[in-house]
Amino acid sequence: MTNATKTLALLFAGTLLLAIATAWGGGTTSSAAFQGELMSVDTSAVQAVRIRHPDGPSVRLQRTGTGWSVGPANTSATYPARTQSVRQILNTLPTLEVGAVATRQANKHPQYGVDSTGTTVTMLGAGDEPLGELIVGRTRMRRPQSGGPSQNPLQQRRRRGTPVTYVRTPDRPDVYSVEQSLRSVTSRGVEDWRKKQMWGLARTDIQRIDLRYPADSSFTLQRAAAGDTASTADAWVSAGDTLTQSEVSSMLRVLSSPEADGFAESISPDAFGDAEYEVRLHLSDGSRRSIRLRSAPNAQQYRAVADGFPYVVELQKRTWDRSVLRGRSAFLGSR
């Protein structure tokens, strides 16, 4: 081989290596070049988001005058959607950064889950005009490279790997990998997108709590007024006894922003019937909030109705029994 031939061979090899590094290395240049091929959408123009699951009902998120609603895509039923979850999908998908090109061959789409088994997300504008569409496939964990200094078990647990998700646009065969899990998009059904917070209050606004229990076990907690014998400004009292601050704080954490764990769709609030328990909050502005509860048939949950929330909700019994629905002696601590 002559010197000229060797030089040409080296130049070709260098060019090839540079091209591979650019396409597969996940650098800024690669990401910027491919980002426009994914879902480059002006989210201010998005009026709806349709999520087609391969093995379940499709979901439609719709912008409304007061926020977002959610419902099955094939029915007219809608519910208020959790705004934070909708904001997450609008902020995430249009800004995905490509790590690498996984394949350009259509016959390999099933391998990456970007065929009919993938989840298709479509962002729609006015009149349901498609603004962008993405098929989200499988997610795998890329393990950290070994070969470095030995790690103790704690370090190994902390470095479990990086999630890598495969995506493509329907009009192209190219499959890209992104270093991000998108399961929060692909695994959510209608109920998971629904607004579950019954109300949101500042804990300092709660001045008194009435607990209505069966028989004669009802009692009241209230903030200690200025000049009382309580030792701190955040002290709570009941029938003259100062309560344990940590126990009251646990209750306030739940009651200031109670969230449903699910919904009892077959029951309307008007048909809820008698309650076993009632929790009534008295606020600093003179208003009140109340939650009425009774045990659900499965004994693992409560069913409940709350002021201003138009659904019968399901609450985890364990959480409410440990933090809220307790006897007065539990708030007194050891004496």
Side-chain angles (χ1 to χ4, degrees):
M1 181 182 293
T2 65
N3 289 336
T5 304
K6 290 179 180 180
T7 300
L8 289 173
L10 289 172
L11 286 173
F12 175 77
T15 302
L16 180 62
L17 288 173
L18 179 61
I20 293 174
T22 300
W24 290 84
T28 303
T29 302
S30 174
S31 180
F34 290 123
Q35 186 172 341
E37 298 183 19
L38 291 179
M39 187 180 276
S40 181
V41 174
D42 176 8
T43 56
S44 66
V46 175
Q47 299 300 310
V49 180
R50 185 175 59 227
I51 304 171
R52 288 197 180 105
H53 297 292
D55 53 359
S58 297
V59 174
R60 181 183 176 93
L61 302 164
Q62 182 73 48
R63 193 187 294 271
T64 68
T66 57
W68 288 81
S69 66
V70 62
N74 59 346
T75 72
S76 59
T78 59
Y79 310 97
R82 190 192 298 251
T83 302
Q84 183 178 356
S85 298
V86 178
R87 188 178 297 122
Q88 181 184 22
I89 192 174
L90 293 177
N91 290 341
T92 299
L93 294 188
T95 60
L96 288 176
E97 294 187 358
V98 171
V101 179
T103 185
R104 298 186 187 278
Q105 301 177 39
N107 62 354
K108 292 187 176 181
H109 288 175
Q111 177 182 341
Y112 297 100
V114 291
D115 56 347
S116 60
T117 64
T119 298
T120 303
V121 183
T122 308
M123 294 192 179
L124 305 166
D128 275 4
E129 171 196 2
L131 302 179
E133 194 166 46
L134 194 67
I135 300 174
V136 181
R138 294 191 175 92
T139 297
R140 67 175 179 85
M141 296 300 294
R142 185 175 64 202
R143 302 299 176 185
Q145 294 182 351
S146 58
S150 60
Q151 296 178 329
N152 61 44
L154 179 60
Q155 289 175 317
Q156 291 176 356
R157 284 197 298 271
R158 287 176 177 173
R159 299 187 61 193
R160 293 182 178 178
T162 303
V164 175
T165 302
Y166 298 101
V167 299
R168 76 176 179 92
T169 56
D171 58 337
R172 297 177 63 90
D174 305 347
V175 179
Y176 304 110
S177 66
V178 295
E179 292 187 356
Q180 189 168 344
S181 174
L182 298 177
R183 285 174 179 158
S184 62
V185 176
T186 60
S187 64
R188 282 179 174 158
V190 170
E191 184 170 299
D192 302 308
W193 289 99
R194 288 178 64 173
K195 178 183 177 182
K196 295 183 177 181
Q197 188 180 68
M198 290 173 266
W199 60 59
L201 303 171
R203 298 183 197 180
T204 54
D205 285 342
I206 302 174
Q207 301 298 308
R208 174 177 147 186
I209 304 171
D210 297 330
L211 297 170
R212 299 288 179 254
Y213 292 165
D216 297 325
S217 55
S218 301
F219 65 99
T220 293
L221 303 77
Q222 61 186 32
R223 287 188 185 273
D228 283 356
T229 57
S231 57
T232 67
D234 290 331
W236 283 71
V237 297
S238 176
D241 292 321
T242 301
L243 306 180
T244 304
Q245 189 170 355
S246 60
E247 302 296 339
V248 177
S249 294
S250 178
M251 172 186 271
L252 291 175
R253 183 171 59 252
V254 175
L255 292 179
S256 60
S257 56
E259 287 207 5
D261 293 290
F263 299 90
E265 297 291 359
S266 60
I267 306 173
S268 71
D270 292 338
F272 182 75
D274 296 332
E276 294 177 69
Y277 309 96
E278 182 178 2
V279 182
R280 184 178 299 166
L281 310 182
H282 299 255
L283 308 181
S284 54
D285 63 0
S287 63
R288 298 177 183 180
R289 301 283 192 280
S290 68
I291 301 177
R292 297 186 297 125
L293 309 93
R294 71 163 183 255
S295 297
N298 64 11
Q300 301 298 316
Q301 295 175 317
Y302 288 114
R303 286 179 175 170
V305 289
D307 289 346
F309 201 74
Y311 309 105
V312 176
V313 301
E314 295 170 341
L315 305 172
Q316 286 296 328
K317 195 173 189 294
R318 183 180 179 185
T319 299
W320 281 74
D321 285 348
R322 293 177 65 176
S323 298
V324 180
L325 302 178
R326 310 171 70 191
R328 182 176 177 274
S329 61
F331 295 93
L332 296 175
S334 57
R335 291 181 177 272

